[in-house]
Amino acid sequence: MGTTTAATIRKQFAFLAELDQLKSVIRQSQLINRTRCENSAEHSWHLAIFALVLSQHADGVNPLEVATLLLLHDIVEIDAGDTPIHAPDKDMTVLKQEELAAATRIFGLLPARQGRNLLALWKEFEAGKTPNARFAKALDRLQPLILNTLTDGGTWTQNNVTEQQVMDRYGPVIDRGSKALWGEAAALVRNHFSKHKELASVVNHSPPYTTEK
Amino acid sequence: MGTTTAATIRKQFAFLAELDQLKSVIRQSQLINRTRCENSAEHSWHLAIFALVLSQHADGVNPLEVATLLLLHDIVEIDAGDTPIHAPDKDMTVLKQEELAAATRIFGLLPARQGRNLLALWKEFEAGKTPNARFAKALDRLQPLILNTLTDGGTWTQNNVTEQQVMDRYGPVIDRGSKALWGEAAALVRNHFSKHKELASVVNHSPPYTTEK
């Protein structure tokens, strides 16, 4: 093996070891078995399989390329942390700057050309303009929606999020990626909130969401 | 949306929700920051990125297809559990039967044709005969090797595994996938064991591995 190959591999190993930290970035969503919150590494794995399984419901996308965008999309959280959709704790302009700096640093650990290629994929996801990136963003909204409907509302219940807020925050992004998937996802949301209201009216004799903004 | 599409999506959502359980299958390897053991979902994410980054060191492989094999390869552990390489707690024939039953059940949740396609990919990985599958298996050995060298020997130290046993258990599989990667990985192993022996001789005035079988 030449010195160049050895040096290349060492940089790649350093990048891969750095990525281990994404397993310690904790999201707000709980696992379906509710034993703990999800981390961003396993979330990314789950999303990549969403891409393999659901791409037939989007036009002009390549399932494996969508999976690739999703494998890489959260890596910046190693430096910038996860920003919860229902309780953002940062200004969005500041967050975008932090994430770009993180992407530059982390992909910069790789051999130059490879680092540039992966950084370009990360930017493609962020921009959300190609069919692959639009669909990847839709899945990144769909996965926590499904987890929430299977964990008694999950982050919606935690953050007192209303049905209308869910429709507003998830609907446009998922619908833009796939109308068919949003059709089914919206049915899950409606079903969740109608069950939740029923249960609350039995327990409290009043629906739980009437005072929320 | 037609009834057929809706029924298809519901099956796919059920499959994706089922997969959430892989996040609760715990492996022996620790994270590099040693806060806890790794689970099989985040391990699969890590491996998929190994595939994207390292495929140039193998002949005749498609990085995205290798990543796909690795995203799916551990799903059977939802039913069959993780079997540690250094402390297998099951007969291999029994394990293989359990894993095949698990794959049949879990991929069987999907619409029939899609389920058959993904089951075929799982079987391709298991058989390890195509260039993609051989390389995927090499990465599945390489990733824990790297984690171990960064966590004071990790599962090797835990299970009193000797340098020779590491060479025997990891070498052939990694070398078959990529000679260049095994070259670098073997150097990491040698370096780990030589440091470990040095340290042990300072602490105990005797090398730690001499009485092991």
Side-chain angles (χ1 to χ4, degrees), chain A residues 146-168:
Chain A
I146 291 179
L147 292 194
N148 277 350
T149 61
L150 294 169
T151 52
D152 191 30
T155 64
W156 302 333
T157 308
Q158 253 171 269
N159 297 288
N160 294 323
V161 174
T162 63
E163 182 169 354
Q164 189 55 51
Q165 285 173 326
V166 170
M167 292 299 183
D168 294 346

Side-chain angles (χ1 to χ4, degrees), chain A residues 1 5-10 12-13 15-24 26 30-33 35-36 38-46 48-50 52-54 56-57 62 64-65 67-68 70-72 75 78 110-111 114 118 142-143 146-147 150 179-181 183-185 188, chain B residues 1 5-10 12-13 15-24 26 30-33 35-36 38-46 48-50 52-54 56-57 62 64-65 67-68 70-72 75 78 110-111 114 118 142-143 146-147 150 179-181 183-185 188:
Chain A
M1 177 164 51
T5 304
T8 297
I9 293 175
R10 270 176 224 142
Q12 291 166 329
F13 282 6
F15 169 80
L16 292 167
E18 184 77 10
L19 292 200
D20 204 63
Q21 296 175 74
L22 195 62
K23 300 169 189 170
S24 300
I26 308 303
Q30 286 191 72
L31 303 192
I32 296 175
N33 66 16
T35 51
R36 60 172 174 82
E38 195 188 32
N39 70 60
S40 293
E42 62 198 2
H43 165 70
S44 300
W45 164 78
H46 209 177
I49 301 195
F50 270 62
L52 299 180
V53 166
L54 297 174
Q56 71 189 88
H57 307 295
N62 178 315
L64 275 59
E65 289 172 9
T68 302
L70 289 164
L71 289 170
L72 300 171
I75 282 174
I78 289 171
L110 286 166
Q114 185 169 49
L118 295 194
L142 176 63
Q143 188 258 6
I146 291 179
L147 292 194
L150 294 169
K179 292 205 178 305
L181 290 182
E184 277 309 299
L188 291 178
Chain B
M1 177 165 53
T5 305
T8 297
I9 293 175
R10 271 176 223 141
Q12 290 166 331
F13 281 6
F15 170 79
L16 292 166
E18 184 77 9
L19 292 200
D20 204 62
Q21 297 174 72
L22 196 61
K23 300 168 188 169
S24 299
I26 308 303
Q30 285 191 72
L31 303 192
I32 295 174
N33 65 17
T35 51
R36 60 174 174 81
E38 196 188 30
N39 71 60
S40 293
E42 63 198 1
H43 164 70
S44 300
W45 164 78
H46 209 176
I49 301 196
F50 270 64
L52 299 181
V53 167
L54 297 175
Q56 70 190 86
H57 306 295
N62 177 315
L64 274 59
E65 289 172 9
T68 301
L70 289 164
L71 288 170
L72 300 172
I75 283 175
I78 289 171
L110 286 166
Q114 185 169 49
L118 295 195
L142 176 63
Q143 188 257 8
I146 291 179
L147 292 194
L150 294 169
K179 292 204 180 307
L181 290 181
E184 277 308 299
L188 291 178

Side-chain angles (χ1 to χ4, degrees), chain A residues 15 72 107 110 114-123, chain B residues 53:
Chain A
F15 169 80
L72 300 171
F107 292 118
L110 286 166
Q114 185 169 49
R116 279 197 303 274
N117 291 342
L118 295 194
L119 180 62
L121 291 176
W122 179 81
K123 286 181 176 171
Chain B
V53 167

Side-chain angles (χ1 to χ4, degrees), chain A residues 74-89:
Chain A
D74 269 347
I75 282 174
V76 294
E77 295 182 357
I78 289 171
D79 290 353
D82 175 59
T83 303
I85 176 175
H86 304 301
D89 47 6

